[in-house]
Amino acid sequence: QFEDDILAICLNMLDINPKHLRDQNRDCSRRNDPVYIGRVVSAMVNCNDEDRGVLFGRWDNRYEDGMSPMAWIGSVDILKRWKKFGCQPVKYGQCWVFAAVACTVLRCLGIPSRVVTNYNSAHDTNANLTIDRYVNEKGQQERYSWDKIWNFHCWVESWMARPDLAAGYDGWQALDPTPQEKSEGVYCCGPAPVKAIKEGDMLLKYDIPFIFAEVNADVVYWVVQGDGMQKQSIRSSDVGKYISTKSVGRDGREDITHNYKYPEGSEEERAVFEKAEHQRKSIGEEDEGLHLRIKVSEGANKGSDFDVFAVVNNNTDEERVCRVTLCARVTSHNGTLGPQCGLTDPVDIDVEPRAEKRVPLRILYEEYRDKLTQDNLIKVVALLNDHQTGDVIVAVRDIYVENPPIKIRILGEPRQNRKLVAEISLVNPLAVPLNGCVFVVEGTGLTKGQFVKELEEPVEPQAEAKFRMDLMPRLSGLQKLMVDFESDQLTGVKGYRNVIIAPQPM
C-alpha cells in the first residue's frame, strides 16, 4: 500500500504538469515518452513556474517557516507532505534535495535514474563559457559577478533512448530540477545526452550549453591593483571536478568525470572546446615557474581552530622572490560569499630553486563561529605576486568544517520481525550548550516512517546526547538507518548505519 501511494503521488505530477510542456493534443501516449516525462519531472520538482511544483528553493539560510534543506533525510517525506497539503510547495530545497526527489519520482515511473554530484560546478549566466572573478591585492572580492562557481551541484542522470536525435545519443541523460535558468520558457533542464556534453555537441536538445559550461568553463581571476590596473590569472582546470555518483552495491563514490569530459589538457579536450566555439587560453599556473596551492591542516572541525597554508613551489633553477597573501571568507555551496574570517598581511618570501615554502593562516573558531552558514564552508584565496616576472597567480580552495559524528550502535541480533534496539549518540564539540536538540531517525523496513526524539535538556559542552529506540525490521537484507540532528548551534548533522537483517526462520 505504501509503494502504491508513492506511485500515485508521482503519477499526479504528470496530470498537473506545467501548461508550457503539455502536449496540445493531450495525446496520452506521451506518458510513455521518457524524454517528455523527464522534462515534466524536472519542471515539477521545483515550483518556480507557479505550477504547483513540489519544492520551494531557498539559499539565504532563513528557513524558520519550513524545513532547512540540510535537515531532510529522505524524499518520501517530502512527497507525502506535498500531497497532504494539496500540492502546495514544500519548504525548502536546494540542489541535492531537488535531485533526490526527482530521482525518486523517475524511478517510481520506471525510468532508471541516479543522482550525480559535480564539484566546482560553474553557473554561466551569459553563456560565454567563462566565469569572471574580481579580487584586490589582498585576495578579497572586488566586485560582484552574476556568474558563480558552486562548491558542488547535484542533478540526475536517467537512462533512456533518444529517438528525437540522431543515432548514438541513447543512454545516460542529464536532468536538472534545480531552478537556475529557463529552458524553452520553463524552469527545467534536460534531458541532455551525456555523450553530447562530452563531445561539445551544443546544438542538440536539451540545454547542452548550460550543462557543458557547468563542467568545462574557464575561471578568469582579474586582480584589481591599487592603481586600477588589472591582471589575469586564468585557471582552466578548476571547473568540473570529481563528477560522482553512488557506486552500485556499495556506499563508495564512483567517479564518472570521464563520461562528461576528456582529460584536462588533452588533445581531445582542446578539440571539443574548439567545437564548442570557445578558444582555450594557455595562460595559467601550469606555465609559470612558480606553482601555488592551498593545503589544510588536520582538525578542521566545528568548534576548533585550524591552519591553512599557501604552498609555493619553485620549479625553476633560480631563486625566486614573491609576495603572498591569504584571505578567508565564509561561503555558501552556491558560491555566495559571506563575511571575512581570516586575513594575513602580505609577506615577501624567497623560494630556493626546486624548493617549497609555506605561508600559514590560522582560522579561529571565534572568528567563524557566528558567520558560518549551514553549509559549513570557508573559501580561502591565496594571491601570489612574482617579483621577477610581474605575474599574478591565484589559488582558491573551499574548506568544509566538519560536524561531529553521530554514532549508531545496534544492540541485539538483527532478524526479520524481531525487535531490535538502536543506540544513537552525539558529543557536543562546542564551548556552549546546545539547545532545542532534536534527532530524526528513518530507515526503510526498519521504522514506520520517521521517529522524532526531542531532548528535554540542553547538551552541555563536551557532553554526550544519547537515546535508545526500538526497531522492528520488516524486510530482510541490507537496510539503512538514517539519522539527522538539529539544534540552535549545530544543524544538518547526518549519520547512517548499514544493518543486515537476517530472514525470518521458516
Side-chain angles (χ1 to χ4, degrees):
Q1 180 62 48
F2 174 78
E3 293 177 351
D4 290 343
D5 289 345
I6 298 303
L7 177 58
I9 292 172
C10 296
L11 288 170
N12 193 36
M13 286 190 188
L14 303 184
D15 294 328
I16 62 173
N17 68 77
K19 60 183 179 181
H20 310 80
L21 295 177
R22 287 181 184 165
D23 181 27
Q24 294 180 353
N25 298 320
R26 293 183 175 274
D27 182 357
C28 291
S29 67
R30 300 219 59 186
R31 292 180 67 155
N32 295 321
D33 179 358
V35 176
Y36 170 74
I37 292 172
R39 283 184 68 73
V40 170
V41 172
S42 175
M44 283 299 297
V45 168
N46 70 75
C47 68
N48 281 47
D49 295 297
E50 298 182 356
D51 51 12
R52 300 168 70 193
V54 176
L55 279 161
F56 194 111
R58 192 159 193 166
W59 287 264
D60 61 3
N61 292 291
R62 299 177 62 185
Y63 311 120
E64 295 81 5
D65 61 336
M67 183 85 79
S68 163
M70 292 286 186
W72 302 111
I73 55 175
S75 301
V76 170
D77 185 40
I78 294 170
L79 291 166
K80 290 173 70 175
R81 291 188 190 210
W82 177 64
K83 180 64 173 177
K84 179 180 179 180
F85 293 105
C87 299
Q88 293 299 307
V90 177
K91 299 178 179 179
Y92 289 100
Q94 291 183 16
C95 66
W96 63 92
V97 188
F98 288 111
V101 172
C103 185
T104 296
V105 172
L106 289 163
R107 287 177 174 179
C108 282
L109 297 175
I111 301 175
S113 300
R114 61 187 185 182
V115 174
V116 170
T117 301
N118 177 40
Y119 292 92
N120 287 7
S121 187
H123 183 177
D124 180 20
T125 58
N126 56 8
N128 66 352
L129 297 182
T130 299
I131 306 297
D132 293 306
R133 285 283 175 268
Y134 299 88
V135 297
N136 61 24
E137 292 177 291
K138 293 184 177 180
Q140 300 165 314
Q141 181 174 276
E142 183 69 19
R143 69 183 73 163
Y144 183 82
S145 172
W146 288 105
D147 289 347
K148 297 278 185 72
I149 300 292
W150 295 36
N151 175 265
F152 66 91
H153 182 54
C154 299
W155 57 77
V156 176
E157 283 183 358
S158 294
W159 185 273
M160 64 181 73
R162 291 301 302 268
D164 57 321
L165 301 179
Y169 294 103
D170 297 342
W172 288 117
Q173 314 286 317
L175 287 152
D176 192 348
T178 300
Q180 297 183 81
E181 305 291 335
K182 287 188 175 183
S183 172
E184 298 184 355
V186 180
Y187 279 104
C188 67
C189 183
V194 172
K195 181 179 179 182
I197 297 167
K198 182 173 183 177
E199 299 297 337
D201 294 330
M202 311 288 270
L203 301 179
L204 300 180
K205 292 182 176 182
Y206 291 93
D207 310 305
I208 293 169
F210 184 78
I211 303 174
F212 183 90
E214 287 184 306
V215 300
N216 281 300
D218 281 348
V219 184
V220 181
Y221 279 91
W222 298 89
V223 182
V224 183
Q225 300 177 307
D227 57 5
M229 296 290 290
Q230 295 183 350
K231 290 193 174 184
Q232 285 183 334
S233 178
I234 299 178
R235 302 176 60 83
S236 299
S237 59
D238 273 6
V239 166
K241 293 285 193 179
Y242 311 114
I243 304 174
S244 308
T245 192
K246 180 185 176 299
S247 297
V248 176
R250 59 187 181 89
D251 292 335
R253 178 183 75 90
E254 180 181 344
D255 194 301
I256 57 172
T257 308
H258 60 279
N259 290 349
Y260 280 85
K261 55 199 295 190
Y262 289 99
E264 295 287 352
S266 66
E267 292 182 5
E268 294 91 344
E269 185 220 17
R270 293 191 178 94
V272 166
F273 255 84
E274 292 175 1
K275 184 176 181 180
E277 297 181 351
H278 176 70
Q279 181 63 51
R280 176 179 294 280
K281 298 178 182 179
S282 60
I283 306 171
E285 62 172 338
E286 296 177 0
D287 297 323
E288 301 289 347
L290 295 177
H291 288 188
L292 178 67
R293 66 188 190 279
I294 296 170
K295 284 193 173 182
V296 186
S297 66
E298 293 185 3
N301 302 318
K302 201 164 188 181
S304 301
D305 303 340
F306 59 92
D307 294 305
V308 296
F309 303 91
V311 182
V312 183
N313 287 93
N314 180 3
N315 293 330
T316 73
D317 294 321
E318 301 176 353
E319 182 180 73
R320 302 292 280 270
V321 180
C322 58
R323 175 168 293 180
V324 178
T325 307
L326 283 157
C327 178
R329 296 179 68 174
V330 300
T331 186
S332 296
H333 92 277
N334 67 347
T336 301
L337 290 174
Q340 183 176 293
C341 59
L343 178 68
T344 65
D345 292 326
V347 57
D348 288 324
I349 59 172
D350 298 331
V351 189
E352 299 294 326
R354 307 295 170 183
E356 174 184 292
K357 279 200 173 179
R358 297 186 174 196
V359 177
L361 169 62
R362 185 76 166 168
I363 306 291
L364 302 176
Y365 173 60
E366 64 181 25
E367 287 295 324
Y368 70 78
R369 176 183 57 196
D370 299 325
K371 302 171 183 176
L372 206 62
T373 73
Q374 293 188 15
D375 292 333
N376 281 13
L377 290 171
I378 294 175
K379 183 180 291 291
V380 178
V381 178
L383 192 66
L384 181 150
N385 287 274
D386 187 337
H387 291 322
Q388 182 172 330
T389 65
D391 292 330
V392 174
I393 304 174
V394 177
V396 181
R397 179 164 178 175
D398 286 346
I399 298 166
Y400 179 72
V401 183
E402 296 280 353
N403 278 322
I406 294 177
K407 295 182 180 179
I408 305 171
R409 293 180 62 207
I410 301 299
L411 309 176
E413 182 183 0
R415 187 175 293 276
Q416 188 179 8
N417 295 323
R418 179 184 293 179
K419 189 175 78 171
L420 197 61
V421 175
E423 182 182 85
I424 298 169
S425 62
L426 174 145
V427 174
N428 176 12
L430 308 183
V432 296
L434 303 179
N435 297 290
C437 300
V438 179
F439 286 93
V440 181
V441 186
E442 184 176 13
T444 302
L446 296 172
T447 64
K448 291 184 179 180
Q450 292 189 343
F451 175 84
V452 179
K453 175 65 175 179
E454 298 182 6
L455 304 188
E456 297 179 357
E457 301 292 333
V459 180
E460 298 298 324
Q462 306 307 315
E464 183 179 50
K466 180 189 295 186
F467 73 98
R468 290 184 177 183
M469 62 176 291
D470 293 337
L471 306 175
M472 182 60 72
R474 303 188 308 277
L475 303 173
S476 62
L478 177 64
Q479 310 297 336
K480 276 187 168 56
L481 193 65
M482 305 292 300
V483 182
D484 173 73
F485 176 81
E486 304 290 330
S487 69
D488 62 336
Q489 300 290 329
L490 284 175
T491 60
V493 185
K494 295 289 191 292
Y496 80 95
R497 172 73 183 262
N498 287 330
V499 185
I500 299 177
I501 307 298
Q504 183 175 347
M506 299 298 292

